[in-house]
Amino acid sequence: QVPNIVKALHKQLKEKSIKSRQGCFSLLTELANVLPGCLADHIPALVPGIVFSLSDRSSSSNMRIDTLSFLHVLLCNHQPEVFHPHIKSLLPPVVTCIGDPFYKITSEALLVTQQLVKVIRPLDKSCTFDAKPYVKDLFLGTLKRLKAADIDQEVKERAISCMGQIIYNLGDHLSTDLQPTLKIFLERLKNEITRLTTVKALTLIASSPLKIDLRPILGEGLPILASFLRKNQRALKLSTLTALDILVKNYSDSLKLTMIESVLTELPALITENDMHVSQVAITFLTTLAKVYPSCISKISCSVLAEIFQLVHSPLLQGGALNAIIDFFQALVLMKTGTTGYPELMKQLTAPVYSSGSAGASLTLHKQAYHSVAKCVAALASACPKEAPATVNQFVQDVKSPKSSPAVQVLAFLSLAEMGRTTNLSAQRELKTVILEAFASPSEEVKSAASYALGNVSVGNLKEYVPFILKEIESQPKRQYLLLHSLKEVISSSLADSLSPYVEDIWALLFKHCECTEEGTRNVVAECLGKLTLVNPAELLPRLRKQLSAGSPHARSTVVTAIKFTIADQPQPIDALLKGCIG
């Protein structure tokens, strides 16, 4: 259809009637949005119409805005190469529109120019097109708008973004114009109205593969950025942290320690459970600092660590923020300074649990916090492999000791689980016995943590543990529920390839128990079946379907529940096969 549509429209793009042309551009905009790349072969037919509507004296302001808007969508949705033969005719009318007295046209033209800059010199692929002849026009047209003080807010912001893109893609062609332009950015950074957009533009420039020389503005710029971390504007804080992170990564040789220290003093206040995302970005930045300037981090490690440990022990911590903390701890422990060594960090991490008192006490922290602490413990152990065996041994002793509180036992099991998932713990001969004994604990939390530990330790050593779990499920009916939970962990956390030798044995065992009268057990069996089907959907899904005709209603309901666990929120290979089963 597309060639026919373009053929019909291409003559009308030069019509006198503005309404006809606007209709054409409206249709073409939808086409380019819905089918990115579909107009690639028709660019030569469309360019004359675009240039005509931009240059024609009789074109209304709305006509120009619609044309620029279409050109922007076209540039965004097609490969740069298709435009290269036409840059010579497209660029002049766009640059002329940047100088238009009507702010809406200027604003739209700056957006198009920003995209054109990416097109004439894409930095993510090799390109033979020579952008040099066009740099001066692009730069001067944008600079005029960047310097103007009395223009509309949107134009100000787009001029800053556009100039940021020009420096990112073409900075090496600007020679003596570069430094005066960066000085303008510094002025815009001091202005409350333009500071956020300027921070984003500087982030872009600092990440340029052209290694733009930012030294002349860093001395004055960094303290200004540091002051933004104190402001109430959340978006400004987040963008500033991202900018600082890039600057430290790419310009560490140009930054003086005094500059960094002005930033460091602002960071502890940003780490709080009141805003997990700001905390996450701040901790990611701290990780960069720990790798680039270890000496600086040791100065603030006490105040920062106090806040981070509070987060680790918070019930709200999860996902991205937890991963950021794990990365930070690993960077910190590798710095090998006295206050941030392995024993010190380990002690502070686990202190609230070990200081919780008598053996009869219930859990002192929220359940989620035990998982967070365990993940951090495992991360420290993987960063310091020499220290790990002693830590594992300590946890095994904690679990065995009758003096240990349930809280200490839960943390020990969860930590063994996290460590065992990635490391083979077979050197600990008594681990199986210790876990199975805990299945008889009076505390439900301890039993659940032991079951979780058995499953995860098995992931690190499938050959030894999978047959052991299957044997125990058969021979220990009273512990069946906990053992099935362990099996669920094995299936959920193992790679499909490593699990495939055991699929048949697990499958047979699960179907033995899918008619169990206990609903809780059937639900765990169903989850195991559903997740096991994902290991080899082409073979196992038809077999699962076959069981729908089983005589027992319990068995059929287990299969239906199992299907629920084959559906995930991320695309999976099974999705295409499920379409044939459902509905």
Side-chain angles (χ1 to χ4, degrees), residues 336-536:
K336 302 218 174 7
T337 59
T339 50
T340 62
Y342 183 86
E344 289 77 11
L345 289 174
M346 210 54 118
K347 192 177 170 187
Q348 284 179 276
L349 261 177
T350 56
V353 178
Y354 281 94
S355 60
S356 62
S358 69
S362 61
L363 298 194
T364 44
L365 296 170
H366 187 278
K367 197 176 171 187
Q368 176 61 37
Y370 287 86
H371 285 275
S372 302
V373 172
K375 282 188 161 74
C376 294
V377 164
L380 287 174
S382 77
C384 305
K386 285 181 184 166
E387 311 274 1
T391 305
V392 171
N393 200 38
Q394 175 63 50
F395 285 132
V396 172
Q397 298 314 314
D398 285 342
V399 170
K400 280 169 66 180
S401 165
K403 291 180 183 172
S404 295
S405 67
V408 168
Q409 290 182 315
V410 166
L411 179 63
F413 275 132
L414 294 180
S415 301
L416 287 167
E418 295 299 335
M419 293 156 91
R421 192 185 304 136
T422 51
T423 319
N424 186 334
L425 296 184
S426 55
Q428 283 290 338
R429 302 309 320 161
E430 53 186 348
L431 193 52
K432 287 179 194 163
T433 321
V434 167
I435 291 174
L436 289 180
E437 279 172 4
F439 281 5
S441 163
S443 160
E444 286 300 323
E445 282 94 353
V446 172
K447 285 197 275 199
S448 172
S451 161
Y452 182 77
L454 179 58
N456 282 284
V457 167
S458 306
V459 174
N461 185 1
L462 291 170
K463 192 176 175 185
E464 185 180 334
Y465 275 88
V466 172
F468 168 71
I469 292 179
L470 296 180
K471 184 170 131 277
E472 287 292 316
I473 291 174
E474 288 289 19
S475 62
Q476 301 284 343
K478 282 190 175 170
R479 295 173 175 174
Q480 208 173 69
Y481 182 72
L482 290 167
L483 288 161
L484 282 166
H485 267 287
S486 301
L487 185 60
K488 181 190 78 180
E489 288 301 325
V490 177
I491 296 167
S492 304
S493 303
S494 300
L495 295 168
D497 291 349
S498 54
L499 199 60
S500 51
Y502 311 102
V503 167
E504 286 305 322
D505 292 344
I506 299 173
W507 189 264
L509 177 119
L510 290 171
F511 271 105
K512 253 187 205 172
H513 293 92
C514 71
E515 296 182 28
C516 176
T517 50
E518 187 66 46
E519 189 183 355
T521 305
R522 287 203 309 275
N523 283 341
V524 187
V525 169
E527 189 169 345
C528 290
L529 275 172
K531 290 182 171 172
L532 191 62
T533 303
L534 296 174
V535 173
N536 183 358

Side-chain angles (χ1 to χ4, degrees), residues 72-194:
H72 182 247
V73 170
L74 192 67
L75 292 167
C76 290
N77 288 316
H78 290 76
Q79 291 300 315
E81 300 78 46
V82 298
F83 300 104
H84 289 163
H86 311 286
I87 295 294
K88 197 173 181 180
S89 50
L90 276 175
L91 202 98
V94 173
V95 172
T96 306
C97 286
I98 298 178
D100 197 277
F102 185 38
Y103 75 95
K104 281 192 172 173
I105 293 179
T106 305
S107 174
E108 206 63 47
L110 284 165
L111 212 54
V112 172
T113 305
Q114 189 173 344
Q115 203 56 37
L116 268 174
V117 172
K118 296 184 202 175
V119 163
I120 64 173
R121 192 182 189 193
L123 294 180
D124 52 352
K125 50 169 118 181
S126 57
C127 171
T128 52
F129 184 75
D130 180 18
K132 209 169 180 182
Y134 307 102
V135 175
K136 194 177 177 187
D137 287 347
L138 283 168
F139 174 75
L140 292 174
T142 308
L143 182 66
K144 191 177 168 191
R145 286 303 181 185
L146 183 68
K147 281 180 170 174
D150 56 343
I151 45 176
D152 176 78
Q153 167 78 6
E154 191 179 78
V155 174
K156 275 182 188 162
E157 289 178 357
R158 287 189 174 172
I160 293 166
S161 302
C162 185
M163 188 56 88
Q165 197 73 54
I166 290 173
I167 297 174
Y168 174 87
N169 287 70
L170 304 164
D172 52 346
H173 288 321
L174 297 178
S175 60
T176 53
D177 288 323
L178 178 62
Q179 293 314 323
T181 310
L182 290 174
K183 286 277 192 273
I184 300 173
F185 274 110
L186 204 52
E187 292 308 310
R188 298 290 172 266
L189 207 54
K190 296 171 189 171
N191 181 326
E192 193 176 335
I193 293 171
T194 53

Side-chain angles (χ1 to χ4, degrees), residues 316-333:
L316 304 175
L317 182 68
Q318 57 175 336
L322 176 57
N323 292 335
I325 290 177
I326 287 170
D327 289 344
F328 177 63
F329 280 149
Q330 288 186 318
L332 207 56
V333 78

Side-chain angles (χ1 to χ4, degrees), residues 12-25 46-68 70 93-94 97 100 105:
Q12 298 196 37
L13 286 175
K14 293 251 183 125
E15 288 278 327
K16 279 258 187 311
S17 160
I18 286 176
K19 278 208 166 158
S20 300
R21 280 187 276 157
Q22 281 179 309
C24 293
F25 282 129
L46 298 173
V47 168
I50 294 170
V51 173
F52 174 72
S53 276
L54 290 180
S55 320
D56 180 32
R57 289 286 171 89
S58 64
S59 285
S60 65
S61 298
N62 284 344
M63 181 71 252
R64 282 187 192 156
I65 292 167
D66 288 352
T67 310
L68 288 165
F70 163 63
V94 173
C97 286
D100 197 277
I105 293 179

Side-chain angles (χ1 to χ4, degrees), residues 247-397:
L247 285 168
V248 168
K249 277 179 182 156
N250 293 350
Y251 293 87
S252 55
D253 49 352
S254 312
L255 299 173
K256 294 187 177 70
L257 286 181
T258 47
M259 295 184 198
I260 295 294
E261 280 162 13
S262 67
V263 173
L264 280 175
T265 51
E266 307 296 340
L267 292 175
L270 298 178
I271 300 165
T272 156
E273 66 178 7
N274 296 337
D275 192 328
M276 280 296 181
H277 188 53
V278 170
S279 300
Q280 177 185 334
V281 181
I283 294 166
T284 303
F285 175 47
L286 277 166
T287 308
T288 302
L289 286 171
K291 290 173 183 170
V292 182
Y293 299 108
S295 57
C296 275
I297 286 289
S298 50
K299 289 182 183 175
I300 63 149
S301 59
C302 289
S303 52
V304 161
L305 280 173
E307 300 297 339
I308 289 180
F309 286 126
Q310 267 202 303
L311 273 194
V312 174
H313 301 136
S314 156
L316 304 175
L317 182 68
Q318 57 175 336
L322 176 57
N323 292 335
I325 290 177
I326 287 170
D327 289 344
F328 177 63
F329 280 149
Q330 288 186 318
L332 207 56
V333 78
L334 294 174
M335 279 168 36
K336 302 218 174 7
T337 59
T339 50
T340 62
Y342 183 86
E344 289 77 11
L345 289 174
M346 210 54 118
K347 192 177 170 187
Q348 284 179 276
L349 261 177
T350 56
V353 178
Y354 281 94
S355 60
S356 62
S358 69
S362 61
L363 298 194
T364 44
L365 296 170
H366 187 278
K367 197 176 171 187
Q368 176 61 37
Y370 287 86
H371 285 275
S372 302
V373 172
K375 282 188 161 74
C376 294
V377 164
L380 287 174
S382 77
C384 305
K386 285 181 184 166
E387 311 274 1
T391 305
V392 171
N393 200 38
Q394 175 63 50
F395 285 132
V396 172
Q397 298 314 314

Side-chain angles (χ1 to χ4, degrees), residues 545-582:
R545 273 184 82 173
K546 219 174 188 177
Q547 295 295 330
L548 281 171
S549 54
S552 150
H554 281 337
R556 292 201 300 275
S557 77
T558 305
V559 172
V560 171
T561 311
I563 292 290
K564 181 175 84 176
F565 291 103
T566 62
I567 302 165
D569 51 1
Q570 298 298 322
Q572 298 258 22
I574 197 171
D575 293 350
L577 301 166
L578 278 174
K579 276 182 188 169
C581 298
I582 296 175

